[in-house]
Amino acid sequence: MGQEASQPLPDNVPSRTLEKRDIASLAKYIKRKNPKIVVMTGAGISTSAGIPDFRSPTTGLYANLARLNLPYAEAVFDIEYFREHPEPFYTLARELYPGKFRPTITHSFIRLLSDKGLLLKLFTQNIDCLERAAGVPDEKIVEAHGSFARQSCIDCHSPYPEDKMYAHVRRGEVPRCEAPQCGGLVKPEIVFFKEPLPDTFTRNRAVPAMADLCIVMGTSLSVMPFSILPNFCVENTPRLLINKEKVPGLGSRADDVLLIDDCDEGVRRLARELGWLEELEALWAETHDKTQEDGKKASTMEKEKNVEKTKDQILEDEVDKLTKEVEATLKVSSDHESRTKDQLARMEKPVSSEKEQVERRNETPAVEKSDGVLKESPVNGGVHNSKDSAGVLDEEEEWEEVVNEPPGGIL
């Protein structure tokens, strides 16, 4: 089990609102007070669903985007790059789009708070919509970095139908605005680099001051301005952190409780103290059936899409897909092409002597042929270099001046 601590506060500093700075006392407070609870979440509540966080060195999303051949990892969420090259984002969107992942028990815990009338507001840095999939009402959610829940044109801002967006993402196609005389690019209302934060986030920034309890889960609180939200809670309001590591600021007040643990295990422990564990597990079990239904729907749509196509269209799509994959992975240099053509041309000349045969064998490049396409041998393969993205974002002290981080919580 995770440890609880309230450092850097000395142990001899008494709590003011809770009996003690521990989970048992917090559970008693919830049962006695029926508090208005504000919840703040990051990517850590979704990693057990199979969704990677963004910045972990080996498993994070940015660390695994080399296959898209981006100039730098964060370009996939750069609005200027998207205007010129929307395809990489839609390749990624097909993998992350809602419906593929099951909500975690932490998402179901937030739903349970809502069902019990305790949830004042959920602030999330995540774009995955798993809160909605778990049944948290839309009006209770504030998405600091937007999400896949809505989509619109980046030029005229006209909304785009959800069913059409879903179909385009499943096909890996880039949707275009249907408004008359527009035809602009459409994207989910996820906050990209160089885009402002949603108005809903700014409008609700005073909500934490109205709460009787603040629960922070799965975030390091390192991204401004989200990171300052817990500071808006009044001094005597208990604040609970459930996270794998301590974060700055939490633990400095008399009624801060730190549960350093996995989010799912942390909410199970709190639910057990509250007498809600059986109810929570049942609520989470419901998400399993819904996720299966969504998966079947996606599979059916894919089959229907293929039935509607002619054999020639299917063949054309496959050829186009193969061509793009080859271009994206090989990136054969012009020098290599010239050298290969020259060597192939020499091979077509008649051999006049055994000596020339030996020379030709020695000069032939190490290539493999797959489906009629020449490609470099793994022995001669190059290394893809990604541009260092450090310094893309500057963190400002003033809320209004903050340049937003990309979507998703940061662990």
Side-chain angles (χ1 to χ4, degrees), residues 146-215:
S147 75
F148 282 101
R150 299 174 183 85
Q151 48 282 321
S152 58
C153 173
I154 64 173
D155 293 324
C156 73
H157 307 293
S158 296
Y160 191 78
E162 182 180 357
D163 58 340
K164 292 186 177 181
M165 184 69 172
Y166 184 85
H168 275 83
V169 170
R170 291 294 301 174
R171 293 195 296 263
E173 298 174 353
V174 179
R176 291 277 179 175
C177 181
E178 297 179 336
Q181 300 179 340
C182 182
L185 290 167
V186 170
K187 77 170 182 67
E189 293 183 2
I190 295 168
V191 178
F192 278 24
F193 287 103
K194 304 180 183 72
E195 287 191 311
L197 294 173
D199 290 339
T200 53
F201 180 64
T202 303
R203 288 200 309 268
N204 285 280
R205 63 177 177 174
V207 169
M210 308 173 194
D212 302 309
L213 172 62
C214 174
I215 300 178

Side-chain angles (χ1 to χ4, degrees), residues 3 47 80 105 110 126 129 136 189 204 219 260 262 277 311 332 338 344 349 355 360 374 386:
Q3 348 169 218
T47 49
E80 293 179 2
I105 197 168
I110 301 170
N126 300 337
C129 294
V136 178
E189 293 183 2
N204 285 280
T219 173
I260 307 306
D262 171 84
L277 185 57
K311 290 183 179 179
V332 181
S338 299
L344 290 174
K349 295 180 181 179
K355 179 180 179 182
R360 179 176 300 169
L374 287 173
S386 297

Side-chain angles (χ1 to χ4, degrees), residues 278-292:
E278 185 175 341
E279 189 176 0
L280 173 61
E281 294 283 2
L283 196 60
W284 185 45
E286 293 176 8
T287 66
H288 176 68
D289 295 334
K290 185 177 186 303
T291 303
Q292 285 189 326

Side-chain angles (χ1 to χ4, degrees), residues 214-266:
C214 174
I215 300 178
V216 179
M217 299 187 287
T219 173
S220 64
L221 292 179
S222 60
V223 179
M224 285 283 285
F226 193 94
S227 60
I228 64 175
L229 286 177
N231 298 341
F232 292 153
C233 296
V234 299
E235 186 67 26
N236 292 341
T237 298
R239 301 184 303 178
L240 168 65
L241 172 70
I242 304 178
N243 198 45
K244 286 186 176 181
E245 58 187 15
K246 298 177 184 178
V247 303
L250 288 176
S252 61
R253 295 185 182 181
D255 293 291
D256 284 355
V257 179
L258 308 187
L259 180 52
I260 307 306
D261 204 347
D262 171 84
C263 290
D264 292 344
E265 290 307 311

Side-chain angles (χ1 to χ4, degrees), residues 12 17 64 73 76 103 110 124 160 169 171 195 216 280 328 351 362 389 400:
N12 60 355
T17 304
N64 291 281
V76 73
I110 301 170
T124 181
Y160 191 78
V169 170
R171 293 195 296 263
E195 287 191 311
V216 179
L280 173 61
V351 180
N362 291 337
S389 59
E400 292 80 3

Side-chain angles (χ1 to χ4, degrees), residues 259-326:
L259 180 52
I260 307 306
D261 204 347
D262 171 84
C263 290
D264 292 344
E265 290 307 311
V267 299
R268 280 190 172 100
R269 181 173 177 183
L270 178 55
R272 188 178 295 111
E273 291 285 351
L274 289 164
W276 298 353
L277 185 57
E278 185 175 341
E279 189 176 0
L280 173 61
E281 294 283 2
L283 196 60
W284 185 45
E286 293 176 8
T287 66
H288 176 68
D289 295 334
K290 185 177 186 303
T291 303
Q292 285 189 326
E293 289 175 9
D294 290 343
K296 289 178 181 178
K297 175 185 174 184
S299 177
T300 300
M301 287 183 64
E302 193 75 17
K303 290 177 181 177
E304 288 175 351
K305 176 199 73 174
N306 288 332
V307 168
E308 292 172 359
K309 292 183 177 181
T310 65
K311 290 183 179 179
D312 288 343
Q313 286 175 319
I314 295 174
L315 179 60
E316 184 179 343
D317 287 348
E318 289 299 319
V319 171
D320 183 59
K321 179 181 177 182
L322 178 61
T323 300
K324 288 180 179 178
E325 289 177 353
V326 170

